[in-house]
Each structure stands twice: as structure tokens, then as C-alpha cells.
Amino acid sequence: MVAHWLHSVTWNLFLAGIPVVLAYVLGWGLVQRGKRRNLPLIVCLPIAIAWVLFLPNACYLITEWRHLLFDEYWAPLLQGGKEDPNAMLSTAKWAVLFLGYSSIGMLLFVLAIRPVERYLKSAGHKTLLYAPIFFLLISLGVYLGLIVRLNSWDVFQRPSLVWAEIQDAFEKPSILTAIAVFAGVLWAMYEAVDIWVDGVSERVQRWGRRGTGGSNSK
């Protein structure tokens, strides 16, 4: 059980880390120095497309706790915790691991957006106008990945199937409503964790100034 879970965790973390790397490359590449960007737009465009396609992978981790509660694979662990008080500790440990796993996914999701958002703000764009469409698009990607079981690369390998599933989702009010609600949840979670990351970053910088003999103000 443990080996299978660790293999799944490693693979999912790898996929969730891809949009983080792409975001930092894209954020750096779009910056203009004089009359030129760090990377030409013809290079930034495919990076941006890959970034959007892989971004839902970080969101998948946010929902990983569902496996512990609903998958038959983990049913013996949960059942053992109900029947044997001594086994409750093991169940609690796995619950904490799954919670931490999902939390890492949320952090990676935020880190995969911040560099691009920072660039857009520095370029004078009002990101608030883009946010609803952006998070709706990401939520749609999560639906296609978690429910329909499509992969990011299916956009290129099976574009007709992807388009058919998107049309089907928008034609069913219940599915569309769920996608919209989850988009709102993602947006709210992003803003909350983004504020937390800013706070941690500021605190680390403050510690760094203290360590180099800077200001001692709190």
C-alpha cells in the first residue's frame, strides 16, 4: 500500500511542479529589457500554452484527500481505525499525510500563477478582469482530468475528443454549475494562500536583514 502511494505521490508532484517551472520561465521571458524581451514572443507563446495545460495538475493534488475517504484501496485502513482503537493512530497519520499532500498541491498551484500575475501587474494589466475567465478555464481543466480522465497532452493527441467533452460540459447545467463553483473556490483559495506566501516572504526578508545587521524593527 505504502509503495503504491509513494509512487503515485512522486508522479503527481512531478506533474504539479511542471507549471511552476513554466511560470517562472514565462514570467522571466516576458520581461522587457530595453526594446527586447528576455525571450521572443514566438518562444513565450508555446510556453504559455504548456503552462495553462499543465496548471490543472497542481489542482488535482488539492483533492487527493478524497482517495483516503472514498477509494476502496484505503477502505481496510479506515475500517481498521473504527474497529481497533490502536489502529486509529495509523489512520490519523495517513489523514495528516493526505492533508499535507493536498496542501503542497495548493502551494504549488499558487506558485505556478504568481510569476505570471506579477508580470501582468508590472505591465499595467488589471488581473482582476482576467481572473474569472482564468479560474473557470482551470476548473474546466480539472473536470476534464479528474472526471473525464483526459491528460494535458490529449489537447494535441485527441483534440476532437477534448472539444466534444468541453461542449458536453457546457450543455449540462449541473456540470457547468459545478465547474463554476469550483472555479470560485480555486480563486478564493488562491487569494488566501497568495496573501500567506507574501507574509512568509516578508518575514524571511526581515530575518535576512536582521542577520546582516539591518533594521531590528518588528
Side-chain angles (χ1 to χ4, degrees):
M1 178 183 292
V2 176
H4 175 81
W5 187 76
L6 288 176
H7 179 270
S8 176
V9 167
T10 302
W11 176 246
N12 289 337
L13 287 175
F14 169 74
L15 291 177
I18 291 176
V20 178
V21 175
L22 292 175
Y24 278 91
V25 173
L26 182 61
W28 172 82
L30 289 171
V31 173
Q32 283 187 293
R33 299 183 184 279
K35 295 183 178 181
R36 289 189 174 184
R37 300 181 186 275
N38 287 330
L39 291 176
L41 288 177
I42 195 172
V43 176
C44 290
L45 181 59
I47 295 176
I49 294 174
W51 170 67
V52 171
L53 292 179
F54 277 95
L55 192 52
N57 287 294
C59 300
Y60 300 159
L61 272 61
I62 302 173
T63 67
E64 282 300 297
W65 55 268
R66 76 190 189 281
H67 293 299
L68 181 63
L69 298 179
F70 304 116
D71 283 8
E72 293 183 359
Y73 183 82
W74 296 97
L77 176 69
L78 297 179
Q79 188 62 33
K82 293 178 181 178
E83 298 175 352
D84 182 6
N86 294 324
M88 291 181 63
L89 179 60
S90 177
T91 304
K93 288 179 179 179
W94 278 105
V96 171
L97 285 174
F98 269 94
L99 179 60
Y101 184 28
S102 295
S103 298
I104 290 174
M106 188 66 237
L107 180 60
L108 290 175
F109 177 63
V110 172
L111 293 179
I113 297 176
R114 281 170 60 91
V116 178
E117 182 185 30
R118 190 180 303 120
Y119 161 74
L120 291 174
K121 287 182 176 179
S122 67
H125 295 277
K126 296 181 179 180
T127 56
L128 190 63
L129 298 178
Y130 307 143
I133 297 176
F134 174 77
F135 284 103
L136 185 64
L137 182 63
I138 300 305
S139 181
L140 175 62
V142 174
Y143 164 76
L144 294 175
L146 284 183
I147 307 302
V148 185
R149 308 305 294 176
L150 295 177
N151 296 309
S152 300
W153 44 86
D154 283 327
V155 171
F156 304 105
Q157 293 182 341
R158 299 187 291 175
S160 58
L161 175 61
V162 174
W163 180 245
E165 293 294 344
I166 292 175
Q167 287 181 310
D168 182 66
F170 276 83
E171 290 173 357
K172 295 179 178 178
S174 59
I175 295 178
L176 185 58
T177 300
I179 291 174
V181 170
F182 189 64
V185 171
L186 285 178
W187 188 0
M189 293 176 69
Y190 171 77
E191 295 295 343
V193 178
D194 185 49
I195 293 173
W196 177 80
V197 172
D198 282 338
V200 171
S201 178
E202 181 181 348
R203 179 59 62 88
V204 170
Q205 292 176 8
R206 191 179 303 168
W207 286 343
R209 289 195 297 268
R210 290 178 181 177
T212 56
S215 171
N216 291 323
S217 61
K218 295 183 178 181

